[in-house]
PDB file of all heavy atoms in Angstrom:
ATOM      1  N   THR A   1      -7.601 -19.119  -0.791  1.00 97.00           N
ATOM      2  CA  THR A   1      -8.806 -19.454  -0.050  1.00 97.00           C
ATOM      3  C   THR A   1      -8.493 -19.678   1.430  1.00 97.00           C
ATOM      4  O   THR A   1      -7.519 -20.349   1.782  1.00 97.00           O
ATOM      5  CB  THR A   1      -9.446 -20.726  -0.620  1.00 97.00           C
ATOM      6  OG1 THR A   1      -9.841 -20.480  -1.973  1.00 97.00           O
ATOM      7  CG2 THR A   1     -10.672 -21.132   0.188  1.00 97.00           C
ATOM      8  N   ASP A   2      -9.337 -19.108   2.272  1.00 98.00           N
ATOM      9  CA  ASP A   2      -9.257 -19.323   3.713  1.00 98.00           C
ATOM     10  C   ASP A   2     -10.008 -20.614   4.029  1.00 98.00           C
ATOM     11  O   ASP A   2     -11.225 -20.668   3.952  1.00 98.00           O
ATOM     12  CB  ASP A   2      -9.882 -18.133   4.439  1.00 98.00           C
ATOM     13  CG  ASP A   2      -9.860 -18.267   5.956  1.00 98.00           C
ATOM     14  OD1 ASP A   2      -9.396 -19.305   6.469  1.00 98.00           O
ATOM     15  OD2 ASP A   2     -10.318 -17.328   6.628  1.00 98.00           O
ATOM     16  N   SER A   3      -9.293 -21.657   4.389  1.00 97.00           N
ATOM     17  CA  SER A   3      -9.904 -22.967   4.607  1.00 97.00           C
ATOM     18  C   SER A   3     -10.708 -23.037   5.893  1.00 97.00           C
ATOM     19  O   SER A   3     -11.477 -23.979   6.098  1.00 97.00           O
ATOM     20  CB  SER A   3      -8.819 -24.053   4.638  1.00 97.00           C
ATOM     21  OG  SER A   3      -8.147 -24.126   3.400  1.00 97.00           O
ATOM     22  N   ALA A   4     -10.541 -22.049   6.785  1.00 98.00           N
ATOM     23  CA  ALA A   4     -11.234 -22.088   8.070  1.00 98.00           C
ATOM     24  C   ALA A   4     -12.276 -20.994   8.233  1.00 98.00           C
ATOM     25  O   ALA A   4     -13.093 -21.056   9.149  1.00 98.00           O
ATOM     26  CB  ALA A   4     -10.224 -21.984   9.211  1.00 98.00           C
ATOM     27  N   GLY A   5     -12.246 -19.980   7.387  1.00 96.00           N
ATOM     28  CA  GLY A   5     -13.162 -18.853   7.533  1.00 96.00           C
ATOM     29  C   GLY A   5     -13.448 -18.197   6.199  1.00 96.00           C
ATOM     30  O   GLY A   5     -13.391 -18.847   5.155  1.00 96.00           O
ATOM     31  N   SER A   6     -13.718 -16.902   6.247  1.00 95.00           N
ATOM     32  CA  SER A   6     -14.100 -16.187   5.032  1.00 95.00           C
ATOM     33  C   SER A   6     -13.129 -15.070   4.677  1.00 95.00           C
ATOM     34  O   SER A   6     -13.435 -14.219   3.852  1.00 95.00           O
ATOM     35  CB  SER A   6     -15.512 -15.602   5.195  1.00 95.00           C
ATOM     36  OG  SER A   6     -15.570 -14.734   6.314  1.00 95.00           O
ATOM     37  N   LEU A   7     -11.943 -15.067   5.282  1.00 97.00           N
ATOM     38  CA  LEU A   7     -10.959 -14.026   5.011  1.00 97.00           C
ATOM     39  C   LEU A   7     -10.033 -14.479   3.882  1.00 97.00           C
ATOM     40  O   LEU A   7      -8.850 -14.782   4.084  1.00 97.00           O
ATOM     41  CB  LEU A   7     -10.162 -13.712   6.286  1.00 97.00           C
ATOM     42  CG  LEU A   7      -9.172 -12.538   6.234  1.00 97.00           C
ATOM     43  CD1 LEU A   7      -9.852 -11.254   5.765  1.00 97.00           C
ATOM     44  CD2 LEU A   7      -8.517 -12.340   7.589  1.00 97.00           C
ATOM     45  N   ASN A   8     -10.579 -14.558   2.683  1.00 97.00           N
ATOM     46  CA  ASN A   8      -9.792 -14.984   1.530  1.00 97.00           C
ATOM     47  C   ASN A   8      -8.825 -13.872   1.108  1.00 97.00           C
ATOM     48  O   ASN A   8      -9.108 -12.694   1.292  1.00 97.00           O
ATOM     49  CB  ASN A   8     -10.707 -15.334   0.355  1.00 97.00           C
ATOM     50  CG  ASN A   8     -11.647 -16.473   0.686  1.00 97.00           C
ATOM     51  OD1 ASN A   8     -11.271 -17.430   1.365  1.00 97.00           O
ATOM     52  ND2 ASN A   8     -12.885 -16.369   0.235  1.00 97.00           N
ATOM     53  N   VAL A   9      -7.685 -14.267   0.549  1.00 98.00           N
ATOM     54  CA  VAL A   9      -6.696 -13.291   0.123  1.00 98.00           C
ATOM     55  C   VAL A   9      -6.393 -13.461  -1.359  1.00 98.00           C
ATOM     56  O   VAL A   9      -6.505 -14.546  -1.913  1.00 98.00           O
ATOM     57  CB  VAL A   9      -5.391 -13.406   0.942  1.00 98.00           C
ATOM     58  CG1 VAL A   9      -5.648 -13.105   2.405  1.00 98.00           C
ATOM     59  CG2 VAL A   9      -4.736 -14.775   0.775  1.00 98.00           C
ATOM     60  N   SER A  10      -6.014 -12.359  -1.982  1.00 97.00           N
ATOM     61  CA  SER A  10      -5.584 -12.342  -3.378  1.00 97.00           C
ATOM     62  C   SER A  10      -4.163 -11.811  -3.439  1.00 97.00           C
ATOM     63  O   SER A  10      -3.656 -11.230  -2.485  1.00 97.00           O
ATOM     64  CB  SER A  10      -6.519 -11.456  -4.210  1.00 97.00           C
ATOM     65  OG  SER A  10      -7.843 -11.939  -4.173  1.00 97.00           O
ATOM     66  N   VAL A  11      -3.513 -12.010  -4.591  1.00 97.00           N
ATOM     67  CA  VAL A  11      -2.124 -11.585  -4.728  1.00 97.00           C
ATOM     68  C   VAL A  11      -2.050 -10.238  -5.447  1.00 97.00           C
ATOM     69  O   VAL A  11      -2.877  -9.917  -6.297  1.00 97.00           O
ATOM     70  CB  VAL A  11      -1.290 -12.632  -5.494  1.00 97.00           C
ATOM     71  CG1 VAL A  11      -1.161 -13.900  -4.665  1.00 97.00           C
ATOM     72  CG2 VAL A  11      -1.901 -12.950  -6.857  1.00 97.00           C
ATOM     73  N   TYR A  12      -1.012  -9.462  -5.081  1.00 95.00           N
ATOM     74  CA  TYR A  12      -0.826  -8.122  -5.618  1.00 95.00           C
ATOM     75  C   TYR A  12       0.658  -7.855  -5.856  1.00 95.00           C
ATOM     76  O   TYR A  12       1.534  -8.479  -5.264  1.00 95.00           O
ATOM     77  CB  TYR A  12      -1.374  -7.061  -4.649  1.00 95.00           C
ATOM     78  CG  TYR A  12      -2.853  -7.161  -4.405  1.00 95.00           C
ATOM     79  CD1 TYR A  12      -3.343  -7.960  -3.382  1.00 95.00           C
ATOM     80  CD2 TYR A  12      -3.770  -6.476  -5.201  1.00 95.00           C
ATOM     81  CE1 TYR A  12      -4.712  -8.067  -3.151  1.00 95.00           C
ATOM     82  CE2 TYR A  12      -5.125  -6.581  -4.982  1.00 95.00           C
ATOM     83  CZ  TYR A  12      -5.597  -7.369  -3.958  1.00 95.00           C
ATOM     84  OH  TYR A  12      -6.955  -7.480  -3.743  1.00 95.00           O
ATOM     85  N   ASN A  13       0.915  -6.884  -6.713  1.00 94.00           N
ATOM     86  CA  ASN A  13       2.262  -6.365  -6.965  1.00 94.00           C
ATOM     87  C   ASN A  13       3.270  -7.438  -7.360  1.00 94.00           C
ATOM     88  O   ASN A  13       4.432  -7.401  -6.966  1.00 94.00           O
ATOM     89  CB  ASN A  13       2.787  -5.604  -5.742  1.00 94.00           C
ATOM     90  CG  ASN A  13       2.053  -4.308  -5.497  1.00 94.00           C
ATOM     91  OD1 ASN A  13       1.229  -3.887  -6.305  1.00 94.00           O
ATOM     92  ND2 ASN A  13       2.333  -3.667  -4.373  1.00 94.00           N
ATOM     93  N   GLY A  14       2.809  -8.416  -8.120  1.00 95.00           N
ATOM     94  CA  GLY A  14       3.730  -9.422  -8.634  1.00 95.00           C
ATOM     95  C   GLY A  14       3.827 -10.690  -7.817  1.00 95.00           C
ATOM     96  O   GLY A  14       4.554 -11.603  -8.202  1.00 95.00           O
ATOM     97  N   ALA A  15       3.118 -10.774  -6.692  1.00 97.00           N
ATOM     98  CA  ALA A  15       3.088 -12.032  -5.939  1.00 97.00           C
ATOM     99  C   ALA A  15       2.376 -13.094  -6.762  1.00 97.00           C
ATOM    100  O   ALA A  15       1.514 -12.786  -7.596  1.00 97.00           O
ATOM    101  CB  ALA A  15       2.380 -11.827  -4.605  1.00 97.00           C
ATOM    102  N   THR A  16       2.733 -14.350  -6.523  1.00 98.00           N
ATOM    103  CA  THR A  16       2.103 -15.454  -7.234  1.00 98.00           C
ATOM    104  C   THR A  16       1.800 -16.582  -6.259  1.00 98.00           C
ATOM    105  O   THR A  16       2.443 -16.716  -5.220  1.00 98.00           O
ATOM    106  CB  THR A  16       3.006 -16.006  -8.355  1.00 98.00           C
ATOM    107  OG1 THR A  16       4.242 -16.463  -7.785  1.00 98.00           O
ATOM    108  CG2 THR A  16       3.293 -14.935  -9.399  1.00 98.00           C
ATOM    109  N   ILE A  17       0.809 -17.387  -6.631  1.00 97.00           N
ATOM    110  CA  ILE A  17       0.531 -18.635  -5.927  1.00 97.00           C
ATOM    111  C   ILE A  17       0.654 -19.748  -6.948  1.00 97.00           C
ATOM    112  O   ILE A  17      -0.137 -19.842  -7.887  1.00 97.00           O
ATOM    113  CB  ILE A  17      -0.877 -18.632  -5.302  1.00 97.00           C
ATOM    114  CG1 ILE A  17      -0.985 -17.551  -4.237  1.00 97.00           C
ATOM    115  CG2 ILE A  17      -1.195 -20.000  -4.702  1.00 97.00           C
ATOM    116  CD1 ILE A  17      -2.393 -17.358  -3.685  1.00 97.00           C
ATOM    117  N   SER A  18       1.672 -20.566  -6.783  1.00 94.00           N
ATOM    118  CA  SER A  18       1.901 -21.671  -7.717  1.00 94.00           C
ATOM    119  C   SER A  18       2.743 -22.727  -7.026  1.00 94.00           C
ATOM    120  O   SER A  18       3.493 -22.425  -6.099  1.00 94.00           O
ATOM    121  CB  SER A  18       2.607 -21.179  -8.993  1.00 94.00           C
ATOM    122  OG  SER A  18       3.888 -20.648  -8.689  1.00 94.00           O
ATOM    123  N   GLY A  19       2.589 -23.972  -7.470  1.00 92.00           N
ATOM    124  CA  GLY A  19       3.323 -25.052  -6.844  1.00 92.00           C
ATOM    125  C   GLY A  19       2.953 -25.262  -5.396  1.00 92.00           C
ATOM    126  O   GLY A  19       3.702 -25.863  -4.629  1.00 92.00           O
ATOM    127  N   GLY A  20       1.790 -24.745  -4.977  1.00 93.00           N
ATOM    128  CA  GLY A  20       1.331 -24.933  -3.614  1.00 93.00           C
ATOM    129  C   GLY A  20       1.905 -23.976  -2.610  1.00 93.00           C
ATOM    130  O   GLY A  20       1.810 -24.213  -1.400  1.00 93.00           O
ATOM    131  N   VAL A  21       2.496 -22.865  -3.070  1.00 96.00           N
ATOM    132  CA  VAL A  21       3.085 -21.898  -2.141  1.00 96.00           C
ATOM    133  C   VAL A  21       2.807 -20.481  -2.625  1.00 96.00           C
ATOM    134  O   VAL A  21       2.529 -20.240  -3.798  1.00 96.00           O
ATOM    135  CB  VAL A  21       4.617 -22.084  -2.008  1.00 96.00           C
ATOM    136  CG1 VAL A  21       4.953 -23.414  -1.362  1.00 96.00           C
ATOM    137  CG2 VAL A  21       5.302 -21.950  -3.360  1.00 96.00           C
ATOM    138  N   LEU A  22       2.909 -19.529  -1.684  1.00 97.00           N
ATOM    139  CA  LEU A  22       2.836 -18.109  -2.000  1.00 97.00           C
ATOM    140  C   LEU A  22       4.249 -17.587  -2.205  1.00 97.00           C
ATOM    141  O   LEU A  22       5.116 -17.777  -1.347  1.00 97.00           O
ATOM    142  CB  LEU A  22       2.166 -17.352  -0.851  1.00 97.00           C
ATOM    143  CG  LEU A  22       2.250 -15.816  -0.906  1.00 97.00           C
ATOM    144  CD1 LEU A  22       1.454 -15.263  -2.074  1.00 97.00           C
ATOM    145  CD2 LEU A  22       1.760 -15.219   0.418  1.00 97.00           C
ATOM    146  N   ASN A  23       4.481 -16.934  -3.322  1.00 98.00           N
ATOM    147  CA  ASN A  23       5.798 -16.384  -3.648  1.00 98.00           C
ATOM    148  C   ASN A  23       5.730 -14.865  -3.587  1.00 98.00           C
ATOM    149  O   ASN A  23       5.052 -14.232  -4.391  1.00 98.00           O
ATOM    150  CB  ASN A  23       6.224 -16.845  -5.050  1.00 98.00           C
ATOM    151  CG  ASN A  23       7.663 -16.471  -5.377  1.00 98.00           C
ATOM    152  OD1 ASN A  23       8.242 -15.572  -4.763  1.00 98.00           O
ATOM    153  ND2 ASN A  23       8.237 -17.156  -6.343  1.00 98.00           N
ATOM    154  N   THR A  24       6.427 -14.274  -2.623  1.00 97.00           N
ATOM    155  CA  THR A  24       6.474 -12.818  -2.495  1.00 97.00           C
ATOM    156  C   THR A  24       7.899 -12.296  -2.691  1.00 97.00           C
ATOM    157  O   THR A  24       8.251 -11.218  -2.226  1.00 97.00           O
ATOM    158  CB  THR A  24       5.946 -12.367  -1.119  1.00 97.00           C
ATOM    159  OG1 THR A  24       6.646 -13.069  -0.080  1.00 97.00           O
ATOM    160  CG2 THR A  24       4.464 -12.660  -1.000  1.00 97.00           C
ATOM    161  N   TYR A  25       8.693 -13.056  -3.410  1.00 96.00           N
ATOM    162  CA  TYR A  25      10.075 -12.644  -3.684  1.00 96.00           C
ATOM    163  C   TYR A  25      10.105 -11.692  -4.879  1.00 96.00           C
ATOM    164  O   TYR A  25       9.449 -11.928  -5.884  1.00 96.00           O
ATOM    165  CB  TYR A  25      10.935 -13.873  -3.998  1.00 96.00           C
ATOM    166  CG  TYR A  25      12.375 -13.550  -4.314  1.00 96.00           C
ATOM    167  CD1 TYR A  25      13.306 -13.424  -3.293  1.00 96.00           C
ATOM    168  CD2 TYR A  25      12.806 -13.382  -5.630  1.00 96.00           C
ATOM    169  CE1 TYR A  25      14.631 -13.133  -3.564  1.00 96.00           C
ATOM    170  CE2 TYR A  25      14.130 -13.076  -5.912  1.00 96.00           C
ATOM    171  CZ  TYR A  25      15.036 -12.955  -4.877  1.00 96.00           C
ATOM    172  OH  TYR A  25      16.343 -12.656  -5.145  1.00 96.00           O
ATOM    173  N   ASP A  26      10.864 -10.591  -4.752  1.00 94.00           N
ATOM    174  CA  ASP A  26      11.103  -9.764  -5.932  1.00 94.00           C
ATOM    175  C   ASP A  26      12.566  -9.363  -6.074  1.00 94.00           C
ATOM    176  O   ASP A  26      12.983  -8.944  -7.144  1.00 94.00           O
ATOM    177  CB  ASP A  26      10.186  -8.535  -5.962  1.00 94.00           C
ATOM    178  CG  ASP A  26      10.494  -7.533  -4.859  1.00 94.00           C
ATOM    179  OD1 ASP A  26      11.359  -7.820  -3.999  1.00 94.00           O
ATOM    180  OD2 ASP A  26       9.878  -6.455  -4.860  1.00 94.00           O
ATOM    181  N   GLY A  27      13.333  -9.471  -4.999  1.00 93.00           N
ATOM    182  CA  GLY A  27      14.768  -9.224  -5.100  1.00 93.00           C
ATOM    183  C   GLY A  27      15.147  -7.794  -5.396  1.00 93.00           C
ATOM    184  O   GLY A  27      16.267  -7.532  -5.818  1.00 93.00           O
ATOM    185  N   THR A  28      14.223  -6.859  -5.163  1.00 89.00           N
ATOM    186  CA  THR A  28      14.523  -5.454  -5.426  1.00 89.00           C
ATOM    187  C   THR A  28      14.171  -4.615  -4.210  1.00 89.00           C
ATOM    188  O   THR A  28      13.490  -5.073  -3.291  1.00 89.00           O
ATOM    189  CB  THR A  28      13.733  -4.912  -6.631  1.00 89.00           C
ATOM    190  OG1 THR A  28      12.370  -4.699  -6.238  1.00 89.00           O
ATOM    191  CG2 THR A  28      13.791  -5.877  -7.802  1.00 89.00           C
ATOM    192  N   SER A  29      14.617  -3.389  -4.215  1.00 86.00           N
ATOM    193  CA  SER A  29      14.305  -2.470  -3.122  1.00 86.00           C
ATOM    194  C   SER A  29      13.156  -1.536  -3.486  1.00 86.00           C
ATOM    195  O   SER A  29      12.946  -0.528  -2.818  1.00 86.00           O
ATOM    196  CB  SER A  29      15.541  -1.644  -2.768  1.00 86.00           C
ATOM    197  OG  SER A  29      16.005  -0.924  -3.902  1.00 86.00           O
ATOM    198  N   VAL A  30      12.408  -1.886  -4.534  1.00 83.00           N
ATOM    199  CA  VAL A  30      11.257  -1.073  -4.936  1.00 83.00           C
ATOM    200  C   VAL A  30      10.249  -1.030  -3.791  1.00 83.00           C
ATOM    201  O   VAL A  30      10.002  -2.034  -3.120  1.00 83.00           O
ATOM    202  CB  VAL A  30      10.616  -1.651  -6.205  1.00 83.00           C
ATOM    203  CG1 VAL A  30       9.343  -0.885  -6.566  1.00 83.00           C
ATOM    204  CG2 VAL A  30      11.604  -1.598  -7.360  1.00 83.00           C
ATOM    205  N   ALA A  31       9.632   0.123  -3.580  1.00 82.00           N
ATOM    206  CA  ALA A  31       8.807   0.337  -2.392  1.00 82.00           C
ATOM    207  C   ALA A  31       7.488  -0.416  -2.409  1.00 82.00           C
ATOM    208  O   ALA A  31       6.856  -0.564  -1.371  1.00 82.00           O
ATOM    209  CB  ALA A  31       8.532   1.827  -2.207  1.00 82.00           C
ATOM    210  N   THR A  32       7.031  -0.899  -3.548  1.00 89.00           N
ATOM    211  CA  THR A  32       5.746  -1.599  -3.597  1.00 89.00           C
ATOM    212  C   THR A  32       5.986  -3.057  -3.951  1.00 89.00           C
ATOM    213  O   THR A  32       5.888  -3.453  -5.110  1.00 89.00           O
ATOM    214  CB  THR A  32       4.810  -0.951  -4.628  1.00 89.00           C
ATOM    215  OG1 THR A  32       5.475  -0.879  -5.900  1.00 89.00           O
ATOM    216  CG2 THR A  32       4.417   0.444  -4.185  1.00 89.00           C
ATOM    217  N   GLY A  33       6.312  -3.864  -2.952  1.00 93.00           N
ATOM    218  CA  GLY A  33       6.633  -5.262  -3.180  1.00 93.00           C
ATOM    219  C   GLY A  33       5.412  -6.155  -3.197  1.00 93.00           C
ATOM    220  O   GLY A  33       4.290  -5.724  -2.905  1.00 93.00           O
ATOM    221  N   PRO A  34       5.595  -7.432  -3.507  1.00 96.00           N
ATOM    222  CA  PRO A  34       4.491  -8.386  -3.610  1.00 96.00           C
ATOM    223  C   PRO A  34       3.880  -8.708  -2.250  1.00 96.00           C
ATOM    224  O   PRO A  34       4.541  -8.631  -1.211  1.00 96.00           O
ATOM    225  CB  PRO A  34       5.159  -9.636  -4.196  1.00 96.00           C
ATOM    226  CG  PRO A  34       6.510  -9.219  -4.655  1.00 96.00           C
ATOM    227  CD  PRO A  34       6.898  -8.051  -3.853  1.00 96.00           C
ATOM    228  N   TYR A  35       2.609  -9.130  -2.266  1.00 96.00           N
ATOM    229  CA  TYR A  35       1.940  -9.545  -1.038  1.00 96.00           C
ATOM    230  C   TYR A  35       0.634 -10.238  -1.374  1.00 96.00           C
ATOM    231  O   TYR A  35       0.153 -10.189  -2.508  1.00 96.00           O
ATOM    232  CB  TYR A  35       1.680  -8.363  -0.108  1.00 96.00           C
ATOM    233  CG  TYR A  35       0.776  -7.283  -0.669  1.00 96.00           C
ATOM    234  CD1 TYR A  35      -0.595  -7.317  -0.483  1.00 96.00           C
ATOM    235  CD2 TYR A  35       1.307  -6.212  -1.390  1.00 96.00           C
ATOM    236  CE1 TYR A  35      -1.422  -6.319  -0.992  1.00 96.00           C
ATOM    237  CE2 TYR A  35       0.498  -5.213  -1.898  1.00 96.00           C
ATOM    238  CZ  TYR A  35      -0.864  -5.276  -1.697  1.00 96.00           C
ATOM    239  OH  TYR A  35      -1.674  -4.287  -2.196  1.00 96.00           O
ATOM    240  N   ALA A  36       0.045 -10.883  -0.345  1.00 97.00           N
ATOM    241  CA  ALA A  36      -1.292 -11.464  -0.451  1.00 97.00           C
ATOM    242  C   ALA A  36      -2.159 -10.855   0.630  1.00 97.00           C
ATOM    243  O   ALA A  36      -1.740 -10.746   1.789  1.00 97.00           O
ATOM    244  CB  ALA A  36      -1.239 -12.979  -0.289  1.00 97.00           C
ATOM    245  N   SER A  37      -3.367 -10.432   0.264  1.00 96.00           N
ATOM    246  CA  SER A  37      -4.219  -9.729   1.221  1.00 96.00           C
ATOM    247  C   SER A  37      -5.652  -9.671   0.715  1.00 96.00           C
ATOM    248  O   SER A  37      -5.915  -9.850  -0.473  1.00 96.00           O
ATOM    249  CB  SER A  37      -3.696  -8.289   1.416  1.00 96.00           C
ATOM    250  OG  SER A  37      -4.575  -7.526   2.217  1.00 96.00           O
ATOM    251  N   ASP A  38      -6.581  -9.455   1.659  1.00 92.00           N
ATOM    252  CA  ASP A  38      -7.909  -8.982   1.293  1.00 92.00           C
ATOM    253  C   ASP A  38      -7.778  -7.469   1.209  1.00 92.00           C
ATOM    254  O   ASP A  38      -8.054  -6.745   2.159  1.00 92.00           O
ATOM    255  CB  ASP A  38      -8.941  -9.385   2.352  1.00 92.00           C
ATOM    256  CG  ASP A  38     -10.322  -8.837   2.049  1.00 92.00           C
ATOM    257  OD1 ASP A  38     -10.500  -8.221   0.976  1.00 92.00           O
ATOM    258  OD2 ASP A  38     -11.220  -8.989   2.888  1.00 92.00           O
ATOM    259  N   ASP A  39      -7.324  -6.999   0.064  1.00 87.00           N
ATOM    260  CA  ASP A  39      -6.903  -5.607  -0.079  1.00 87.00           C
ATOM    261  C   ASP A  39      -8.072  -4.635  -0.143  1.00 87.00           C
ATOM    262  O   ASP A  39      -7.877  -3.427  -0.101  1.00 87.00           O
ATOM    263  CB  ASP A  39      -6.057  -5.470  -1.345  1.00 87.00           C
ATOM    264  CG  ASP A  39      -5.088  -4.304  -1.254  1.00 87.00           C
ATOM    265  OD1 ASP A  39      -4.873  -3.812  -0.132  1.00 87.00           O
ATOM    266  OD2 ASP A  39      -4.556  -3.891  -2.289  1.00 87.00           O
ATOM    267  N   LEU A  40      -9.301  -5.146  -0.224  1.00 84.00           N
ATOM    268  CA  LEU A  40     -10.459  -4.274  -0.371  1.00 84.00           C
ATOM    269  C   LEU A  40     -11.095  -3.914   0.968  1.00 84.00           C
ATOM    270  O   LEU A  40     -11.857  -2.957   1.060  1.00 84.00           O
ATOM    271  CB  LEU A  40     -11.507  -4.951  -1.266  1.00 84.00           C
ATOM    272  CG  LEU A  40     -11.053  -5.306  -2.673  1.00 84.00           C
ATOM    273  CD1 LEU A  40     -12.169  -6.025  -3.420  1.00 84.00           C
ATOM    274  CD2 LEU A  40     -10.619  -4.069  -3.442  1.00 84.00           C
TER     275      LEU A  40
END
């Protein structure tokens, strides 16, 4: 959730939001890594 506006983001490609943080770690060189975005 965007606490100041309306640009909310969702997680993709294995990213997670837990424990109060965004986790975009995957430890691989695969070309489609995790991220958070308004992907639409």
Side-chain angles (χ1 to χ4, degrees):
T1 297
D2 179 358
S3 298
S6 58
L7 186 54
N8 299 322
V9 297
S10 299
V11 293
Y12 297 89
N13 291 353
T16 59
I17 296 173
S18 62
V21 294
L22 169 67
N23 188 340
T24 53
Y25 179 86
D26 68 355
T28 75
S29 58
V30 175
T32 54
Y35 62 91
S37 173
D38 176 5
D39 206 16
L40 301 177

